[in-house]
Amino acid sequence: MEFAEKVGFVLLFAAFVVQCAAHPRFPLALRRVWAMGIVGIGGTLASQAYAVYAGWQGSELGKFFLPPYQPFAYFFGYVGERLFAPWGAALAAAVLAVWIARRMNQRYGGRFFESEEPMLIGLCFFMSGYPAFFFYLAAMLVVGAGVSAVYQLHGWGRAPLYYWWVPVALSVILLKVYLVPQSVLTFFVL
């Protein structure tokens, strides 16, 4: 598991604990977890980029990838593509998920999600990372359909997924790291 994935996993776990233990204070805590996630993952990626730069600078062969032999644009393109682009894609997916969830909730009078749930969904998309947010989307569709089917069979009405978002995201991160073959993950290389 990469360090950025560990940061996401720990923050998601913390969000789940706060969600279960301190429900009234959860919206404020959720904003803080979002901020810690962006700062934590961004800082991790920046330190990894610096490590690449320092490694290249200290290498007899690597120094040819840095100025004056190559423009800085080459280095920024390299770390941008390999380090920042996957997390940027996850952040874009998270923003899109928040926007879609809020729009659906507004359009249908708030019958789909609780007020802080769209931000929770977005957090799960972001912390899952790329390409795990695709697996997360598929897993949530399956879990949502299963829970909804159980609720319909018992006549309990609409199935709330409020406490399912984070555990499924945590499970997807673990499955991606330990069970999904590398050959499948290379299909998603940016």
Side-chain angles (χ1 to χ4, degrees):
M1 185 181 292
E2 294 180 19
F3 190 71
E5 288 176 322
K6 290 177 183 177
V7 169
F9 188 86
V10 168
L11 288 174
L12 276 177
F13 186 78
F16 186 64
V17 169
V18 172
Q19 180 186 20
C20 292
H23 186 72
R25 288 178 258 140
F26 184 61
L28 175 63
L30 187 59
R31 286 192 290 277
R32 289 181 179 166
V33 170
W34 258 102
M36 286 188 288
I38 290 173
V39 169
I41 290 175
T44 299
L45 297 176
S47 68
Q48 288 175 344
Y50 177 75
V52 169
Y53 183 84
W56 284 5
Q57 195 174 34
S59 168
E60 288 296 320
L61 183 60
K63 68 181 180 182
F64 292 110
F65 295 116
L66 297 172
Y69 305 103
Q70 294 288 333
F72 264 119
Y74 177 78
F75 172 74
F76 290 129
Y78 180 85
V79 296
E81 180 181 329
R82 286 171 178 76
L83 297 177
F84 290 97
W87 287 100
L91 183 59
V95 169
L96 181 64
V98 169
W99 182 78
I100 289 172
R102 282 186 175 163
R103 292 285 302 205
M104 286 176 51
N105 230 22
Q106 286 174 352
R107 186 168 184 177
Y108 294 101
R111 73 175 184 189
F112 291 119
F113 307 111
E114 292 188 29
S115 61
E116 68 270 6
E117 211 166 346
M119 289 298 287
L120 182 63
I121 294 167
L123 179 72
C124 292
F125 268 85
F126 178 51
M127 295 297 163
S128 295
Y130 177 86
F133 70 79
F134 289 118
F135 305 137
Y136 175 67
L137 177 62
M140 273 312 299
L141 289 173
V142 169
V143 168
V147 171
S148 295
V150 168
Y151 268 65
Q152 288 298 316
L153 287 173
H154 287 89
W156 295 337
R158 183 181 69 88
L161 298 177
Y162 185 79
Y163 290 103
W164 287 93
W165 299 109
V166 178
V168 171
L170 292 169
S171 301
V172 165
I173 292 171
L174 291 175
L175 290 174
K176 179 209 168 246
V177 171
Y178 296 112
L179 290 179
V180 176
Q182 190 62 37
S183 59
V184 173
L185 295 177
T186 56
F187 176 75
F188 293 99
V189 171
L190 293 175

